[in-house]
């Protein structure tokens, strides 16, 4: 953490800001003060514009800005990986209410998350740093509670990034096992029994693979994201065409697909529908994770907000294209919700195709996309952990804030995230419903982290929005209200078990994992944070005015 920000005065008594960075660090930055014509410099060098704004916000530019607008949009798409995210969590809305819960839950949540993306996009345009919502909260909150608000938001964001990455990699494990078991040794019995320890070891292998690719192949990740876009749509089109054309067990009517509501969770009908929204919420929870990449984007004030909003729209149509054909060929609903694997997608596809080999071939694109998604989430989680560590908010931050200059990645922060994921993955030994806990706590923490800056911004009149390049006016105001209301519903909702009555093995342990993380955060605050934590390096009014001045200049371009 940089705690040495100071102000001296020149002969005229004007304050001079010292950002506390050493000479060696300054050599890695392009000087803001040495520019004779900032406007011309910004126009000719977008990287310089972004680095100058980052410098004004108190940070050195340590990562390479290598991603274009399309590439950041593609990464945002890969973080969501909608066909994979919807496939691995399809069980929840089917239990919650059947086809109608799947379709209309997806429509409703997509519209809500679009409001969240608009709200975050407006704020991110004004404050584009890898610290994301944590930094934004500090800057827009009043001094009376900015420290505690940014602490809560930062921990929620980091925990959300880590646990949603854990959920992706663990979900990939369960999905791969279910795909293998489309091959049966006898009717209803898959060829791979998948003992608990085997599932855990596969999860560990997938997690390590994602970290290896993310760390060693960082410069190729934008191309991997681009490839993933075409891979995704090719895979979805293949699945859609094959299941509808073959449909060995017939097709349901449109009325069944869009209106059939059959709760199987044991909850009252209305609440059962809401619990089934976990699928859509999980699939879209990565909306704000792309903010962590702001310091690797050429023009983050414009590119990142556009990527967030555009990806939601693209994901919405991609999701419908994927879900509707599967529901037309859905086998008996009660048989599907009774699956021990809780992974109905492979069962639906093999039922429609009528051949295990053909079904497995159709599932390959989803399995590969799952790996892409895990790599993208691993990358984003490492950046958020690194960004929060450089302000001293995580125990051992002196290690986690280091950037490996050879690989151009925050390798230590990435390893911390990986170790935490593997430790939490051991929960599966005690509860087969662990995936529910991982996905639930990931959605809850990210929802909290998104809600905090949006709420603070709304309370204080959205005055900072004019400093960015993504002011949506009245649409932004309405989006803020919708996003906050969704947060108030989602936090308790996703602590609930997917079905009742509840046993130890089927309990949703999201609340337990959530409490454990926040006990660590609270303890660290009282041990260290209360006396030492000062938030991001730019705090004093004069420094804030300096940042706003640079933001205003870049906004005019």
């Amino acid at each position: 953490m940089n705690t040495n920000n100071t102000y001296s005065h020149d002969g005229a008594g004007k304050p001079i800001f010292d950002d506390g960075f050493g000479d060696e660090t300054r050599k890695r930055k392009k000087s803001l003060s040495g520019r004779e014509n900032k406007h011309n410099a910004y126009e000719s060098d977008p990287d310089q514009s972004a680095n100058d704004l980052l410098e004004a916000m108190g940070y050195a530019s340590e990562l390479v800005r290598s991603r274009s607008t399309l590439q950041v949009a593609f990464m945002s798409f890969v973080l969501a990986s909608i066909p994979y995210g919807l496939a691995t969590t399809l069980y929840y809305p089917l239990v919650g209410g059947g086809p109608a819960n799947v379709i209309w839950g997806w429509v409703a949540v997509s519209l809500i998350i679009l409001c969240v993306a608009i709200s975050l996009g407006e704020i991110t345009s004004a404050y584009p740093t890898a610290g994301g919502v944590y930094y934004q909260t500090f800057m827009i909150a009043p001094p009376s509670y900015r420290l505690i608000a940014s602490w809560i938001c930062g921990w929620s964001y980091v925990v959300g990034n880590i646990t949603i990455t854990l959920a992706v990699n663990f979900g990939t494990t369960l999905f791969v096992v279910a795909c293998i078991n489309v091959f049966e040794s006898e009717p209803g019995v898959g060829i791979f029994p998948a003992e608990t320890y085997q599932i855990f070891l596969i999860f560990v292998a997938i997690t390590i693979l994602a970290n290896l690719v993310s760390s060693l192949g960082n410069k190729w990740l934008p191309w991997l994201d681009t490839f993933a876009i075409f891979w995704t749509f090719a895979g979805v089109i293949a699945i859609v065409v094959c299941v509808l054309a073959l449909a060995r067990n017939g097709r349901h009517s449109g009325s069944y697909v869009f209106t059939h509501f059959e709760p199987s969770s044991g909850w009252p009908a209305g609440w059962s529908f809401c619990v089934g929204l976990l699928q859509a919420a999980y699939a879209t929870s990565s909306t704000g994770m792309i903010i962590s990449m702001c310091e690797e984007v050429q023009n983050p004030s414009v590119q990142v907000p556009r990527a967030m909003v555009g990806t939601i729209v693209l994901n919405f149509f991609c999701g419908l294209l994927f879900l509707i054909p599967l529901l037309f060929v859905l086998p008996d609903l009660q048989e599907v919700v009774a699956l021990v694997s809780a992974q109905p997608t492979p069962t639906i596809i093999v039922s429609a195709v009528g051949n295990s080999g053909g079904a497995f071939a159709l599932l390959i694109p989803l399995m590969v996309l799952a790996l892409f998604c895990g790599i993208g989430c691993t990358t984003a989680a490492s950046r958020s952990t690194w960004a929060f560590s450089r302000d001293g908010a995580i125990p051992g931050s002196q290690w986690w804030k280091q950037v490996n200059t050879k690989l151009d990645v925050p390798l230590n922060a990435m390893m911390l995230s990986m170790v935490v994921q593997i430790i939490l993955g051991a929960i599966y030994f005690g509860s087969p419903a662990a995936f529910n806990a991982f996905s639930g706590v990931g959605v809850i923490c990210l929802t909290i982290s998104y809600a905090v800056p949006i709420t603070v911004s709304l309370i204080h009149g959205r005055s900072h929005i004019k400093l960015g390049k993504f002011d949506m006016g009245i649409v932004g105001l309405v989006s803020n209200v919708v996003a906050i209301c969704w947060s108030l519903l989602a936090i308790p909702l996703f602590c609930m078990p997917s079905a009742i009555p509840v046993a130890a093995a089927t309990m949703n342990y999201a609340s337990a994992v959530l409490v454990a993380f926040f006990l660590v955060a609270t303890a660290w605050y009282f041990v260290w944070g209360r006396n030492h934590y000062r938030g991001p390096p730019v705090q004093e009014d004069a420094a804030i005015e300096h940042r706003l001045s640079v933001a205003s200049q870049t906004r005019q371009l």
Side-chain angles (χ1 to χ4, degrees):
M1 171 181 175
N2 179 8
T3 58
N4 299 318
N5 299 341
T6 58
Y7 283 88
S8 57
H9 293 79
D10 61 15
K14 297 179 181 179
I16 302 174
F17 176 60
D18 179 7
D19 63 7
F21 294 123
D23 290 337
E24 181 177 350
T25 301
R26 283 198 188 90
K27 290 177 183 177
R28 304 180 64 188
K29 301 190 290 182
K30 298 181 180 178
S31 173
L32 175 66
S33 59
R35 314 284 301 188
E36 296 225 5
N37 189 328
K38 293 180 182 177
H39 287 266
N40 290 339
Y42 291 156
E43 290 172 358
S44 62
D45 187 355
D47 283 5
Q48 180 62 42
S49 172
N51 289 341
D52 288 346
L53 182 55
L54 183 64
E55 178 183 341
M57 290 189 285
Y59 296 112
S61 178
E62 299 183 77
L63 302 175
V64 176
R65 297 184 182 275
S66 60
R67 294 178 184 264
S68 65
T69 300
L70 281 178
Q71 287 171 336
V72 73
F74 290 166
M75 181 178 179
S76 184
F77 181 86
V78 170
L79 283 172
S81 294
I82 287 303
Y84 157 74
L86 295 178
T88 55
T89 52
L90 184 57
Y91 174 80
Y92 300 110
L94 289 178
V95 171
N101 203 159
V102 175
I103 296 297
W104 300 114
W106 174 244
V107 171
V109 172
S110 293
L111 293 175
I112 292 170
I113 299 302
L114 180 61
C115 294
V116 175
I118 290 172
S119 300
L120 291 178
E122 289 185 311
I123 301 172
T124 299
S125 184
Y127 303 100
T129 79
V133 289
Y134 143 73
Y135 182 96
Q136 295 161 3
T137 298
F138 183 90
M139 294 301 287
I140 61 182
S144 58
Y145 65 86
R146 64 169 40 148
L147 283 176
I148 189 64
S150 64
W151 182 274
I152 293 171
C153 183
W155 271 92
S156 299
Y157 189 55
V158 172
V159 171
N161 271 264
I162 291 175
T163 51
I164 211 70
T165 304
L166 163 61
V168 167
N169 290 332
F170 206 90
T172 300
T173 303
L174 299 178
F175 187 69
V176 168
V177 170
C179 290
I180 293 172
N181 283 330
V182 297
F183 298 100
E184 298 179 340
S185 57
E186 58 184 89
V189 180
I191 61 172
F192 183 35
E195 300 291 338
T196 301
Y197 79 91
Q198 293 173 317
I199 289 178
F200 180 75
L201 290 177
I202 295 172
F203 157 70
V204 171
I206 290 173
T207 301
I208 292 174
L209 174 63
N211 280 268
L212 285 173
V213 175
S214 181
S215 59
L216 301 180
N218 182 59
K219 65 181 179 180
W220 293 293
L221 292 184
W223 297 105
L224 187 65
D225 295 336
T226 303
F227 171 75
I229 292 287
F230 297 99
W231 178 269
T232 298
F233 280 97
V236 168
I237 290 171
I239 291 172
V240 168
V241 171
C242 290
V243 299
L244 289 179
L246 297 176
R248 299 298 187 192
N249 294 311
R251 304 175 188 84
H252 294 291
S253 66
S255 175
Y256 176 86
V257 170
F258 293 101
T259 65
H260 184 73
F261 183 68
E262 184 182 342
S264 306
S265 64
W267 291 107
W271 189 249
S272 183
F273 178 89
C274 290
V275 173
L277 297 179
L278 176 61
Q279 179 206 31
Y282 167 72
T284 56
S285 61
S286 64
T287 298
M289 290 174 66
I290 194 66
I291 300 174
S292 297
M293 303 302 295
C294 275
E295 294 177 34
E296 295 170 70
V297 175
Q298 295 168 358
N299 188 6
S301 293
V302 175
Q303 293 170 305
V304 174
R306 287 179 180 174
M308 282 195 289
V309 173
T311 302
I312 297 300
V313 176
L314 179 61
N315 286 343
F316 171 69
F317 291 106
C318 184
L320 289 180
L321 178 64
F322 178 71
L323 290 172
I324 291 175
L326 293 184
L327 295 176
F328 268 107
V329 295
L330 184 70
D332 180 75
L333 182 59
Q334 294 308 311
E335 291 181 6
V336 172
V337 300
L339 289 170
V340 176
S341 67
Q343 291 291 327
T345 303
T347 300
I348 295 171
I349 292 178
V350 74
S351 171
V353 174
N355 178 275
S356 297
F360 187 80
L362 290 175
L363 290 165
I364 289 175
L366 295 180
M367 288 187 281
V368 174
L369 181 60
L371 295 176
F372 290 158
C373 182
I375 293 166
C377 289
T378 295
T379 303
S382 69
R383 275 32 170 204
S384 64
T385 304
W386 164 74
F388 203 38
S389 295
R390 67 182 173 182
D391 291 328
I394 297 178
S397 59
Q398 66 270 26
W399 299 303
W400 319 132
K401 70 180 181 180
Q402 300 298 322
V403 173
N404 186 302
T405 54
K406 291 183 178 179
L407 299 176
D408 193 39
V409 297
L411 186 62
N412 293 354
M414 187 179 293
M415 294 302 100
L416 173 64
S417 173
M418 181 183 72
V419 170
V420 171
Q421 291 171 49
I422 292 174
I423 292 173
L424 286 177
I427 292 176
Y428 187 72
F429 285 103
S431 171
F435 176 60
N436 197 9
F438 303 149
S439 55
V441 75
V443 171
I444 291 168
C445 287
L446 288 175
T447 299
I448 293 172
S449 71
Y450 301 161
V452 173
I454 294 172
T455 302
V456 174
S457 171
L458 184 62
I459 290 174
H460 295 282
R462 293 165 43 86
S463 57
H464 60 282
I465 299 298
K466 65 181 181 294
L467 299 169
K469 305 176 184 178
F470 199 72
D471 185 352
M472 299 296 288
I474 188 64
V475 174
L477 177 62
V478 173
S479 295
N480 292 170
V481 175
V482 172
I484 293 169
C485 291
W486 165 248
S487 301
L488 294 175
L489 171 64
I491 293 169
L493 180 63
F494 299 131
C495 287
M496 301 294 174
S498 58
I500 54 175
V502 180
T506 58
M507 175 61 185
N508 183 351
Y509 290 96
S511 56
V513 176
L514 184 67
V515 169
F517 268 114
F518 279 98
L519 283 177
V520 172
T522 302
W524 183 237
Y525 182 79
F526 284 103
V527 169
W528 182 89
R530 183 170 56 177
N531 296 322
H532 299 90
Y533 175 68
R534 294 295 178 266
V538 177
Q539 300 173 33
E540 296 84 350
D541 289 343
I544 292 175
E545 290 175 5
H546 176 59
R547 197 222 71 83
L548 299 182
S549 174
V550 175
S552 298
Q553 291 167 354
T554 58
R555 184 173 181 269
Q556 295 171 12
L557 299 180

